[in-house]
Amino acid sequence: MLILGIESSCDETGVALVDASGSATPRLLGHALHSQIEMHQAYGGVVPELASRDHIRRVLPLTDAVLAQAGLPLSALSALAYTRGPGLAGALLVGAGLACALAYARGLPVLGVHHLEGHLLSPFLSADPPEFPFVALLVSGGHTQLMRVDGVGRYALLGETIDDAAGEAFDKSAKLLGLDYPGGPALARLAQQGHASVFRFPRPLLHSGNLDFSFAGLKTAVLTQVKRLAHARLDGPARSGLADPLSLQQKADVAAGVQAAIVDVLVSKSLAALSATGLRRLVVAGGVGANACLREQLNTACAQAGVRVHYPELHLCTDNGAMIALAAGLRAQAGLAFVDAPAASDYCFDVRPRWPLAELGSQETPGST
Ligand code: KG4
Ligand code: ZN
């Protein structure tokens, strides 16, 4: 079974092909990605209309490239998959439109995949795939969640952020430090030259006794610190939010302090989730999962607690088509209904810009199509 997957939920166009024949973990046959980072950089963040238009420009050439990589014609495909949500409505429609058009033209089934399910299952493409059940820490630009995962499509929410996501906390702090979009990787790079102990930032909800997160207060603490430092250097009132007067070392120390605060909370809550569920396996997925400091501290903490920790390949941490094709393949192998059954039968399609992952488990029955 050959499945072509298309991701277009935000600022990356990704296309990939997996072979999901038999019961072995689906194998990646080809994968191509175009990141819009450069295009959005001038605006300091994603401009949804520009994102949609760029997806339109990229998605067909990327599809051709993936088929060429795999040495297969379009007629070899057995099914199509696309990111149905959550994400930007206009951007999602591009992937949905192409997947459903191809499915209609070739008379094939089509599957609308949940973006976070793609992230969640992406470590199955790594050299060290996990086994069910496990606790998943999903840390992306829009989501921070701890889930209990008992199998494909069997997800229970343990805790989530009550305001900003961890990626958002990285991005907003980076902006306050005058770093380019996307702020997360830039802040992580700057933090390497800093000392986390110079400025201590709050660890919100660290001892809340539940598995929820809150990161909104962190950006206020960073803003206050940046203003204070700027004020001291200028010896007068600082202009709001401007980090320009700060020395590179001060910026690096702030970056290291912010990163330490976010990582501390993520590590501590992940361990609490493992102990609450009694599970001995942790999967980390989503863009923030690429953060080296997070990986290092999770590895140490999990080794001490006797927990195995699994990550996606580094290049599959952020958005990509491979995780969408993979999730579709794993669903097909598990005998799960295609999520958007109407599209499978009459090729109408819709997207879900807001779509709680927990809805997946309650929507379908194994074996139905
Ligand atoms: O999963 P993803 O690619 O897109 C969403 O579904 O949101 O995650 C993007 C987020 C952004 O907030 C980005 O700044 C963050 O992941 N990110 C990082 C790193 N790489 C990406 N944050 C911290 N350190 C990194 N190395
Ligand atoms: Zn994502």
Side-chain angles (χ1 to χ4, degrees):
M1 185 177 198
L2 297 178
I3 306 178
L4 187 84
I6 303 168
E7 154 65 32
S8 68
S9 66
C10 189
D11 55 353
E12 256 107 22
T13 324
V15 181
L17 184 65
V18 297
D19 181 357
S21 309
S23 57
T25 305
R27 210 161 45 87
L28 192 59
L29 301 182
H31 129 81
L33 189 73
H34 174 78
S35 168
Q36 304 177 351
I37 283 177
E38 256 179 54
M39 185 179 75
H40 296 296
Q41 228 153 27
Y43 305 92
V46 178
V47 183
E49 182 61 23
L50 293 181
S52 316
R53 288 167 189 238
D54 200 61
H55 286 308
I56 293 172
R57 270 193 294 275
R58 309 287 175 183
V59 73
L60 278 174
L62 289 174
T63 302
D64 287 340
V66 166
L67 290 170
Q69 263 176 42
L72 290 165
L74 193 59
S75 57
L77 298 184
S78 338
L80 277 302
Y82 63 93
T83 305
R84 188 187 180 207
L88 302 169
L92 289 166
L93 281 169
V94 178
L98 178 63
C100 292
L102 286 176
Y104 178 72
R106 312 263 355 140
L108 297 174
V110 60
L111 170 61
V113 173
H114 195 292
H115 181 81
L116 294 182
E117 183 174 42
H119 276 305
L120 194 73
L121 299 174
S122 59
F124 281 96
L125 285 172
S126 74
D128 179 29
E131 276 169 37
F132 298 113
F134 53 77
V135 168
L137 172 68
L138 270 177
V139 270
S140 68
H143 295 84
T144 298
Q145 297 184 329
L146 279 161
M147 313 277 306
R148 181 192 166 106
V149 179
D150 285 295
V152 178
R154 296 170 61 201
Y155 315 124
L157 184 66
L158 301 171
E160 64 183 332
T161 183
I162 57 170
D163 42 53
D164 288 356
E168 231 173 325
F170 269 105
D171 294 342
K172 287 178 176 173
S173 303
K175 211 166 191 171
L176 289 169
L177 287 171
L179 302 176
D180 272 348
Y181 156 87
L187 188 139
R189 270 192 305 277
L190 183 60
Q192 282 174 353
Q193 301 165 47
H195 302 285
S197 54
V198 177
F199 304 111
R200 180 153 178 102
F201 290 102
R203 271 87 170 140
L205 299 192
L206 189 61
H207 303 295
S208 62
N210 64 18
L211 299 172
D212 286 339
F213 304 85
S214 164
F215 291 111
L218 201 51
K219 64 173 182 291
T220 316
V222 174
L223 177 62
T224 309
Q225 188 60 63
V226 167
K227 275 185 177 173
R228 195 176 293 145
L229 292 168
H231 182 90
R233 270 183 85 90
L234 289 174
D235 200 19
R239 280 169 296 157
S240 162
L242 283 188
D244 291 353
L246 272 64
S247 70
L248 182 63
Q249 190 57 52
Q250 284 177 320
K251 288 185 193 176
D253 290 339
V254 171
V258 172
Q259 178 173 259
I262 298 171
V263 166
D264 243 19
V265 176
L266 294 177
V267 171
S268 150
K269 296 271 172 168
S270 300
L271 289 180
L274 286 156
S275 109
T277 54
L279 297 178
R280 316 299 308 155
R281 214 179 295 272
L282 177 70
V283 158
V284 184
V288 181
N291 185 273
C293 175
L294 176 64
R295 287 185 174 218
E296 205 181 291
Q297 298 209 12
L298 269 179
N299 288 346
T300 308
C302 287
Q304 274 167 8
V307 167
R308 287 283 314 275
V309 54
H310 300 262
Y311 305 92
E313 303 278 340
L314 210 50
H315 71 285
L316 298 181
C317 267
T318 44
D319 294 349
N320 63 84
M323 67 184 196
I324 301 305
L326 168 82
L330 287 171
R331 282 196 154 255
Q333 287 176 332
L336 286 172
F338 276 10
V339 175
D340 51 346
S345 54
D346 62 16
Y347 303 106
C348 72
F349 63 88
D350 69 337
V351 293
R352 298 274 315 264
R354 288 175 184 275
W355 188 10
L357 182 61
E359 269 186 25
L360 280 191
S362 57
Q363 263 185 0
E364 57 221 342
T365 43
S368 62
T369 50

